[in-house]
Amino acid sequence: MQLTRTKSEKTKQTMDEKLNSLRAGVLGSNDGILTVVGVLFSVAAATTNQFTIFIAGLSDLLACAFSMASGEYASVSTQKDTEKAVVEKERQLLKTDFEGELHAVQRHYMTLGVTEETAMAIARDLLTKKPLATVVSIKYDMQLGHYMNPWDAAFASLFSASAGGVFPLLAMTFAPAHWQWLATIIAVSVAVALTGYLSAVLGKGNVKTAVIRNVLVGIVTMFIHYYVGTLF
């Protein structure tokens, strides 16, 4: 029974792991929206051929999604390697400098207001029961056995970038010709406002500022790409 519970604990995602996937998703969605609408506005300003506009937008959507996914995979893989290296370093320090690790844990509890003697007693008790998990948690705020998953981040980014890019793509290619520009502007504004809201919530930032900033960036992006398209 104990073995089964331990396996369940190891496979259960921590809050940091879940937030990392959500972060990748929000960033991927925002990137998908802005890159796709950028291409759509450039091409639509240069030609009125709906098929050409659609293919250009779809191609960019796919390219953006896979680019974001591969970037997230590489980035989070590097982070995971760093976390594993830190754990291995602490494993060795417990063998070669146990007293140093003991005092590091003691100092941690002393900063929380625990007396020197009590802090040492807590440190000795913890390093007797779970030495590696204790030092990794206290020194690096990491949970032993839980590393950022690059595949989770990659798939979250792949899906969200695709989903985000769909908003301007559908608006520009399927809205009536005389409404397509306005429909795309509205679709993009709503979509980036949502990603701004989510990023602020996840980052515990100012929601209003994040939403306004994202909408302004979206409008500027559309304006610049439309102007570039008119040059051709």
Side-chain angles (χ1 to χ4, degrees):
M1 179 65 71
Q2 181 62 38
L3 179 61
T4 303
R5 187 162 54 246
T6 301
K7 285 183 177 180
S8 176
E9 289 172 357
K10 287 184 178 179
T11 56
K12 186 178 180 180
Q13 282 193 323
T14 63
M15 182 57 68
D16 283 343
E17 290 172 301
K18 292 177 181 178
L19 287 176
N20 184 61
S21 295
L22 287 172
R23 174 200 58 79
V26 170
L27 291 177
S29 181
N30 204 62
D31 237 38
I33 296 164
L34 295 180
T35 56
V36 171
V37 76
V39 169
L40 288 172
F41 266 48
S42 293
V43 176
T47 179
T48 56
N49 188 296
Q50 287 297 105
F51 183 73
T52 300
I53 296 170
F54 175 75
I55 291 299
L58 180 62
S59 299
D60 185 69
L61 184 152
L62 294 173
C64 174
F66 282 100
S67 174
M68 287 293 294
S70 60
E72 280 293 335
Y73 180 82
S75 175
V76 178
S77 291
T78 301
Q79 183 179 349
K80 182 179 180 180
D81 291 341
T82 301
E83 291 172 344
K84 286 187 172 183
V86 162
V87 171
E88 188 56 36
K89 172 188 173 184
E90 292 304 321
R91 193 191 308 276
Q92 295 302 316
L93 283 175
L94 284 168
K95 296 177 181 178
T96 61
D97 187 22
F98 185 82
E99 286 299 313
E101 298 289 81
L102 183 66
H103 287 296
V105 177
Q106 180 194 28
R107 287 193 297 272
H108 168 74
Y109 282 99
M110 288 176 64
T111 61
L112 297 178
V114 179
T115 64
E116 182 177 352
E117 295 77 11
T118 304
M120 176 56 75
I122 294 173
R124 288 190 184 281
D125 183 56
L126 289 174
L127 292 191
T128 298
K129 296 175 179 176
K130 296 181 178 180
L132 186 57
T134 298
V135 293
V136 166
S137 174
I138 287 176
K139 295 175 71 173
Y140 301 98
D141 194 26
M142 287 171 49
Q143 188 172 332
L144 185 63
H146 288 270
Y147 305 105
M148 294 302 175
N149 190 321
W151 286 110
D152 284 350
F155 281 119
S157 190
L158 177 69
F159 173 79
S160 61
S162 301
V166 164
F167 282 90
L169 182 62
L170 292 179
M172 177 62 77
T173 56
F174 291 104
H178 58 286
W179 286 108
Q180 65 181 150
W181 292 99
L182 180 59
T184 305
I185 292 171
I186 293 174
V188 169
S189 298
V190 171
V192 294
L194 180 60
T195 58
Y197 170 80
L198 291 175
S199 65
V201 171
L202 290 175
K204 297 180 180 178
N206 186 291
V207 172
K208 183 178 179 180
T209 300
V211 170
I212 293 174
R213 179 175 59 233
N214 263 26
V215 172
L216 288 176
V217 168
I219 292 173
V220 170
T221 298
M222 289 183 280
F223 173 79
I224 291 174
H225 283 86
Y226 174 81
Y227 177 73
V228 170
T230 60
L231 298 177
F232 298 95

